[in-house]
Amino acid sequence: MRNSISEQSFYIESEEEDDEQEKNLGKDENEEEGNESDFSNYSNENDDDNNRQQSKPNSLASAWPQSYRQSMDMFSNVPSPSLNFLGTPSLSRLGSSFLGSSLIRRHTPEILPSLQKPLIPSAEEEKAPHRRSSHGLLPPIHPRKSSMKKIPEPSKDAHGITMSRQSSYGQAVVNGMNVLCGVGILSTPYAMKEGGWSGLSILFIFGVLSFYTGILLRSCLDSQPGLETYPDIGQAAFGTPGRIFISIILYVELYFSCIEYIILEGDNLSAIFPNAHLSLGGFELDARHLFVLIATLAVLPTVWLRDLSVLSYISVGGVVASVLVVLCLYWAGLVDHVGFESKGTVLNLSTLPVAIGLYGFCYSGHAVFPNIYTSLADRSQFPAVLLTCFGMVTLLYGGTAVMGYLMFGDSADSQFTLNLPKGLIASKVAVWTTVVNPFTKYALTLSPVAMSLEELLPSKHAKSHVYPILIRTALAFSTLVVGLSIPFFGLVMALIGSLLTMLVTLILPCVCFLRILKGKTSRLQYVFLLS
C-alpha cells in the first residue's frame, strides 16, 4: 500500500497528465502488476465480462465462419435505427467509401463487446499492460466504486448495428416471432389443399417438436462455456467438420429463402400488372420474368449497404406485415363474403409429402434461437419465450390455413394473395404488403452468406472494396437465375422445408444433444430422440 495517496490522486488526474505519468510508470510494469494482485478481487469484479468473453475456446474463436454471430444478431435483436450508411457518425469521414473496409469479415471475432465501464480507458488502451495495472492502484473501498460496476449497454458490430446483449422477455418474444413469421404463412392454405384437413395435425406436431428441439439447443449451449451459436454447437459435437457442415446447411437455407423472395415478387407484381412486358431487340420478357428482374435490380443496392441497421429495424415490421396480410384474408372472407363454398378433402396421401415440407418451412427459426438465448438478460426465461413464440405462431399459421382452405378449397394457389379478388381493398392491401415486405429482408437474409464468403478471401484482398461488391452482386444475380429456373413458389418452399429446415430444426438438435450430453440423458429420452 505504499504511495497510496499519490496513487489515488493519479486516478483522478486529467487524461493528459495520466498519459504523461504512465510513460514513466511503464518502466515499473512488473512492480505495478504486483500491486494489482493485491486488489485482484476488485479487478476481477470490473473485468468479469472480459474474462467471460475470453473463456471461449480458441478452436471456436478461430474456426470458420467468424461472422456468424454478427450476421445472425441482425435477426435476433431489435436495434435502434441508424442512418450512418457510410459506417461512421463523424462528419470528417462522410466522404469515405460506401462499403468501407469493415465490410470484410476475415478478422471479425464472433464475441462482441457488450459492456462499457465509465472512467476506464478504451478497449485498445486496455490491451497495454500499464493500463491494466493502473486499475490495480485503486483500493477495494473507494468513493467511486459504485460507478465502477458493470453497466450493460448495447454494443455495436463493425456494421454499426446495435446489438443488445441484455434483451428483455418482451424483446425476445418479438425477435423470435419476427424470425418465425415469414413468407411461409402465404402457403398454409395451399398446404391444406395438398394434405387435406387431417394434414393440419402435422403443423401442430411440428410446432411441439420444434419447441422441444429449441430447448435441446439451450442444453447444448449450457453444456460448456464459450458456446454461443449453432455452429459452435456443431463444433462441440463433431469438431470442425461438424461446425462447417452445419454452417453450410444454414447458409444454403438462407440462400434459398432469398430465392423465395425473388419468386414472391415476380408472382405478386405480375398478378397486379399482368399485361406488362418488355421487348429488346427481339428478346421478349413477359410480366413475371420482367418483374423478377426488376425486383432483383431494386434490392441490389441494399445488398451493398455497409450499415444494415435501418433494414434490421424495419424488418421487425415483418410480424406486423404477416398479421396484416392474415387480417386482410379474414376480412375478404368474413366481410366481403369471398368463397366458403368448398368443403375440401379429409386426406390427400398422394401429395402429403408436399404438405409436410410446407408445414416444416413454417418453423425455420432454430438458426437464430441460440443468439436469442445468449442475448437474454434472464436466460431462465428462454423456455417461456419459446413457448410464447411457438404458441402464437402456430395459432396464426393454423388459422390462416383453415380460413384460406375454406375460402378457396382445391383451387388454392401457392400464395393465397393470388386467389384474392383483385377489386377488393383488402386484396390490394394484402398484395402490396406482401410485395414491400421482402425488400426489407432480402439484404439481411443474403448478408450472412456474403460475409461468410468474404472471410475466405485471401489476406491480400482483405482491404479491398471491390471483392465484397462482386461477391454480393454475384449472389444476388444467382438468386435471379435460380428463381427463373424454378418458378414454382410452393415447390421451392416444400423443398427447403423437407430437406433443410427439417434438418436444422428437428434432426441436428437431437443429434448434437445426444453427442454432447451422452451419458447424461435418461433411457426414455434417448429412445425418444433416436426415434
Side-chain angles (χ1 to χ4, degrees), residues 83-97:
L83 296 179
N84 298 326
F85 289 97
L86 297 177
T88 173
S90 175
L91 293 177
S92 63
R93 297 185 182 180
L94 289 181
S96 61
S97 170

Side-chain angles (χ1 to χ4, degrees), residues 159-416:
H159 275 293
I161 300 176
T162 303
M163 301 301 176
S164 174
R165 303 299 293 272
Q166 296 292 323
S167 300
S168 65
Y169 172 83
Q171 289 173 323
V173 170
V174 171
N175 293 331
M177 290 194 63
N178 187 48
V179 173
L180 293 172
C181 287
V183 296
I185 199 170
L186 302 176
S187 295
T188 50
Y190 180 73
M192 285 280 290
K193 166 193 170 183
E194 297 298 309
W197 288 104
S198 299
L200 185 62
S201 61
I202 299 174
L203 177 68
F204 297 100
I205 293 174
F206 280 167
V208 173
L209 294 178
S210 299
F211 167 78
Y212 179 69
T213 55
I215 300 299
L216 294 182
L217 288 180
R218 183 194 67 165
S219 300
C220 293
L221 292 171
D222 291 339
S223 64
Q224 55 183 277
L227 303 185
E228 292 189 341
T229 64
Y230 210 141
D232 290 348
I233 295 175
Q235 182 164 358
F238 301 102
T240 302
R243 180 185 183 90
I244 295 176
F245 174 76
I246 288 181
S247 300
I248 292 175
I249 294 296
L250 296 175
Y251 287 136
V252 171
E253 183 183 22
L254 291 174
Y255 178 79
F256 272 93
S257 296
C258 292
I259 296 174
E260 284 282 81
Y261 291 144
I262 294 298
I263 298 176
L264 180 70
E265 293 295 304
D267 289 346
N268 284 276
L269 286 174
S270 61
I272 299 174
F273 308 103
N275 297 323
H277 66 281
L278 180 65
S279 298
L280 290 175
F283 189 72
E284 188 78 18
L285 288 177
D286 59 12
R288 183 185 170 278
H289 289 79
L290 175 61
F291 285 117
V292 166
L293 177 60
I294 292 176
T296 304
L297 295 176
V299 299
L300 187 59
T302 65
V303 175
W304 295 337
L305 286 177
R306 176 185 176 185
D307 184 356
L308 298 176
S309 57
V310 174
L311 291 179
S312 183
Y313 182 82
I314 297 175
S315 71
V316 179
V319 179
V320 178
S322 299
V323 173
L324 180 60
V325 172
V326 172
L327 290 178
C328 291
L329 175 67
Y330 274 81
W331 184 277
L334 300 178
V335 179
D336 296 327
H337 305 290
V338 176
F340 293 99
E341 298 178 357
S342 176
K343 296 182 179 180
T345 57
V346 177
L347 182 64
N348 291 327
L349 288 176
S350 60
T351 54
L352 185 61
V354 177
I356 293 176
L358 293 172
Y359 287 136
F361 183 85
C362 296
Y363 297 108
S364 56
H366 281 56
V368 187
F369 286 157
N371 298 57
I372 294 178
Y373 172 64
T374 55
S375 298
L376 271 173
D378 183 4
R379 296 188 178 184
S380 63
Q381 295 178 335
F382 185 68
V385 169
L386 282 188
L387 184 61
T388 303
C389 291
F390 279 109
M392 296 178 68
V393 167
T394 301
L395 290 177
L396 187 64
Y397 282 143
T400 305
V402 172
M403 178 60 69
Y405 194 48
L406 285 174
M407 291 172 60
F408 311 122
D410 291 335
S411 63
D413 288 327
S414 60
Q415 307 161 53
F416 68 75

